[in-house]
Amino acid sequence: HRVDRRQRQMCIRDSAGGFAGAVSRTATAPFDRLKIYLITSQSAKTSSSSSGAARSNLGALSQSLSMIYREGGLRGFWLGNGLNCMKIIPESAIKFFTYECMKRLFAKYVDGVTDSRDVSGMSRFISGGIGGITSQLLSTLLKRSRRVSCLACRILVTFCLLYTSDAADDLLCVD
């Protein structure tokens, strides 16, 4: 069935985008944890008039690393990563979805090619920019909303209906 196949493809692609976002967030989690610790800890404050400011900054860095390890062990570097992943998964999925849709539009209406993999570099660049803007806009709206889960469900249903409706086929260049 045509709709089922498209829904599966969309689900797989968007899930892959969300999973990629979670993997990248997990890979950089220790750096984020260190950054937050340095910002919030008193040991990160150094005097700017000191000539040994670089040494002092390295000392603060090593103190912070050892403190994070002492407080939580190796797992302490990934403290709060689950919440970060919950935030990044829908954001990445929206970004990948929008990127693919824009690539299809550019393929058909700008580059005049049938396969979205053959679009020009500029079309890819603009599609990526639109994907990033869209995901940031929607994720900011979701953060500001008091009814996040309800709004997220409505947006997801709207995307799915738009993507699977026959009226949207030309817009999204779906086979």
Side-chain angles (χ1 to χ4, degrees), residues 43-60:
S43 66
K45 295 183 179 179
T46 60
S47 62
S48 59
S49 62
S50 166
S51 63
R55 254 184 279 138
S56 180
N57 285 338
L58 286 175

Side-chain angles (χ1 to χ4, degrees), residues 140-160:
T140 300
L141 290 174
L142 290 175
K143 288 176 195 173
R144 302 268 185 246
S145 173
R146 290 179 183 217
R147 297 174 188 244
V148 173
S149 60
C150 183
L151 182 60
C153 288
R154 287 181 183 168
I155 289 171
L156 183 61
V157 167
T158 302
F159 273 135
C160 289

Side-chain angles (χ1 to χ4, degrees), residues 100 102-109 111-120 123-124 173 175:
E100 288 297 324
M102 295 310 299
K103 238 176 43 172
R104 289 177 184 204
L105 281 173
F106 277 105
K108 184 172 184 177
Y109 296 110
D111 295 330
V113 294
T114 56
D115 192 352
S116 65
R117 292 176 289 188
D118 297 331
V119 297
S120 67
S123 294
R124 288 179 194 274
C173 309
D175 301 337

Side-chain angles (χ1 to χ4, degrees), residues 18-37:
F19 181 73
V23 168
S24 70
R25 181 62 66 144
T26 301
T28 61
F31 300 110
D32 286 335
R33 176 78 169 106
L34 179 62
K35 176 187 73 174
I36 290 169
Y37 191 85

